[in-house]
Amino acid sequence: MASTATASAPHRVAAPNAETGLWSWITTVDHKRIGIMYGVTAFLFFLMGGVEALIIRAQLAVPENRLIEADTYNQLFSMHALTMIFLALMPLTAALFNYVVPLQIGARDVAFPRLNALSYWIFLFGGLFLNASWFLKAAPNSGWFAYAPITTKAFGPGLNMDFYVLGLQVVGLSSIVASLNFIITIINLRAPGMRLMRMPIFTWMTLVTSVLIVTAMAVFTIAITELLFDRFFGTNFFNTVSAGADPLLWQHLFWMFGHPEVYILIIPILGIVSEVIPTFSRKPLFGYNVMVFSGVLIGWLGWGVWSHHMFAVGLGPIADSFFSLSTMLIAIPTGIKIFNYLGTMWGGSIRYTTAMNFAVAFIVMFTIGGISGVMHAVAPSDLQQTDTYFVVAHIHYVFFGGTVLGLWSGLYYWYPKVFGRLLDEKLGAVHFWGTLIGMNLTFFPMHFLGMFGMARRTWTYSRDLGFNEMNLLATAGAFLIAASTLVFAINLFTAWKRGELAGDNPWGAATLEWSMASPPPVYNFAALPQVHSRMPLWEGDPTKSAGIPHGRVEESTDQITLGGTKVGELHEATETNKMSAHDLGIHLPPPSFWPIVLAFGISLLFGSMIFRQVEGAWHNLWYLSFAGLATVVVSIYAFAFEPGHSH
Amino acid sequence: MTSSTREIVHDQHAHPSTRFYWIIGALLMVLTVLEIFGYLGETRAVYTAGIAAVIILALSAAKFVAVVAYYMHLKPDHKLFTAIFVFPALLGTLVIVGMTMLFHVIPSTYTGHP
Amino acid sequence: MDHAHALGGHAADPAHIDTATGLDSRKLAFWTFIGSECLLFGSLIATYMAYKGKSLNGPYPHDEMINGHLVKGILNIPLTSFSTFILLMSSVAMVMALNGVQRGKRRDAILYLGATALFGSVFLGCQVYEFTHFYHEGLTLRSNLFGSTFFVLTGFHGAHVTVGVIYMITLLVLAVRGKLGPEKTLNVEIAGLYWHFVDVIWIVIFPLVYLIK
């Protein structure tokens, strides 16, 4: 990637870039725009999942409530989980991967810009398809882990789980494609001198997450393919009634994916926090190497613990002991990370901005979630907790206290880079305290509810069980979270046009994405940077980097160049950043509409299958699947032979 | 900003003789014949099914390695390709072995049907 | 397939690959894709293994003694051995086709790409024959655990072979039109990776499904 800045005229005429208007967004292959689209879409899905949660909490606020029907309740808690996991949190991490990783490693885009656009459009269509089930009052209703055989045709004859298998097939494909892209980007598009052990931790954790997605999501794809065949073509994979199928097959396949999935949602956050805490402690990350290795180890161990979700099915002492031990092992690398965050803050000069507040809150809340996780690892104790609200409390401390708080930290941190303006800190404080108090009000009582015997997924409860007060408290907390999230949404929206101008590096951070204008020019780097250490922007600043090892600096600091100029001359480089790609002779891949066409074809192929399950005239619409297949074939050829992209 | 040190001549290892590929092809054929003999030995009750399984799996592993190493060029190629392939291949193998253990070997980890 | 270091405009020159590792992004991506496929097939094979020998009723894959009677197995080992050889032959043809493209021998490339596509089609023909035969013998997707796991596993593999044959025919057309010179070696190499991987999967499926009882 070195000599690109001075490369001679590209071999083909570059199509115009950086235009505005709807068409430019539809055809864009720019990782920054795709990142923004991911972020906006995922945030809207997050609000939708939040509304679903509020209805659930309203139903549970008082005993023997009849606000919604039991079947609607089933659909709500299933879709709440599916929306939050697959349509909100994973895509929000993908938004940050997309926007930040190429900037952090000194690249001009991801390795395969069109595939990147493809994965976004597949995600969007898949998410819309999954939610279309609401219009038929047939949203998935068997929980996000959809245990067979209750999901087979015999026990779930409606369209509900058909939407599940088809929709997740599409959404899963999107994650796999996106992750392939990130893996290659990180391996292959690093700027000169950006060795693996100089990469920012966020980039490292993106790599680990992507490897997990590429492997684990494949297992899930097969699990839902088998369920799809059972439901659509009458196979016997989960036919426990007459064919002798083992109900444990689904559970094994699902949790082989499901447990890595938990790490898919938390490892990116470990990356975000590893950027935020050093920046606001004005001190390099404590124990960089150990942070990298423990992240890799969490990912690897995450593959060997799936059956701890299945202690209650009676796997026997051998399997239970094995999976207990492997689960407890994970506490070690996770604990190391927590202590290293504390070590980073220790002795630093800390600024409590909203981003930092969320990062610190993450450490505490995630630790609580982690500790109740270790309680589940103990098989006999787990038998007490399985399928109670204790598990609900645990998962929300990990996913909300962990993933969501971490994501908000990341959004406050990188928003100024993306839009050039700072989010309002006063509104940020309201958002932060509201969210933190709200989540503890909501989820902490759930531990007790679980211990008192309240079953998860229960539609309502009798008034004399002693659940009343704590359920009301949890509901109040949920509405507090909702109000704070509304403040956040207002903040995001108003700061976009009216926020305080941020400048290149408002936080004084150390990594490469802060070396350019905010928002960055379309080509990111006018000249690709030469990287000499882990903290390129802190080199030569003894107060921040002295005395603490942060990567070998073989080269003398006089020679340090960044964006083609020496450190300290960054403002001149910024001037260059204002020039257009054409002036600089940088060839960017031209926009393409084939990603959206191909994504549409894939979604049509799977989506139309739903009509196969209905009677009457609508049934014939399933032949649209073949139109989808034809679209896929045509657009793959068009994709492969499109001019302006090498093939 | 020259990248001369970072260039790797892509084709330094390429072009093994066509004869070499034919030899590997012949080896694959022979191993397959042996696999079928392994199967026949079991059907003719020369040895037990367990021994047959070991023989057949060993032969198939040899074929697997031959194709991956020579036809897919992992042997002469950059080691990164090997790493990228071996990790998920190993995971896939562990999934197969793990499930076979859980459903056939470890007692009480599967639902027995009459 | 595209890649962003086309930004530098060096893609046509294989001796100068401007990436952090010096390796081509498309080839790395393809290996990663193959890694993902390993888990796809791994889970399918794992399902097959989990249900191996657990069908409540026939047809069974291998000969079984049921209540003192010998029930003949349905699998046709000679036919599948033949198609296994054919698939191995296609792999040899594939590697020779790559060799032809590398050396700029257009006639070799056309001959061997054609042979690969042909052998692949013969393999598919054998599979279609096998499936229809089984269907008439009473083994369907719905008949028992063996039917479900067998058809989905081998059918999934067959679908991969089908895509591979289309891939080969596409390359063949390019070669005939003179658009597959040595500068396109990498494209053929990636096609080869796909083809050999599909062959490798068969190398695993053949013993586990057909040969081991």
Side-chain angles (χ1 to χ4, degrees), chain A residues 102-120:
Chain A
L103 302 179
Q104 279 197 331
I105 61 172
R108 293 216 165 105
D109 207 320
V110 293
F112 306 99
R114 287 181 304 164
L115 280 188
N116 201 18
L118 175 68
S119 47
Y120 168 72

Side-chain angles (χ1 to χ4, degrees), chain A residues 570-584:
Chain A
L570 282 175
H571 291 291
E572 287 174 36
T574 317
E575 289 306 310
T576 328
N577 279 351
K578 302 232 162 45
M579 294 166 73
S580 77
H582 186 73
D583 298 338
L584 292 164

Side-chain angles (χ1 to χ4, degrees), chain C residues 152-164:
Chain C
V152 172
L153 171 59
T154 55
F156 201 66
H157 177 263
H160 276 74
V161 178
T162 312
V163 171

Side-chain angles (χ1 to χ4, degrees), chain B residues 47-113:
Chain B
Y47 36 71
T48 65
I51 295 175
V54 172
I55 295 173
I56 292 168
L57 285 179
L59 289 165
S60 120
K63 284 166 71 183
F64 186 101
V65 171
V67 173
V68 171
Y70 297 106
Y71 281 4
M72 296 167 89
H73 317 295
L74 274 189
K75 188 96 195 333
D77 249 343
H78 197 281
K79 291 293 164 260
L80 187 57
F81 293 116
T82 312
I84 285 182
F85 174 68
V86 165
F87 173 71
L90 199 70
L91 268 183
T93 314
L94 285 177
V95 168
I96 298 172
V97 173
M99 293 284 273
T100 311
M101 298 280 286
L102 285 165
F103 280 84
H104 292 280
V105 183
I106 305 174
S108 84
T109 52
Y110 50 94
T111 315
H113 277 273

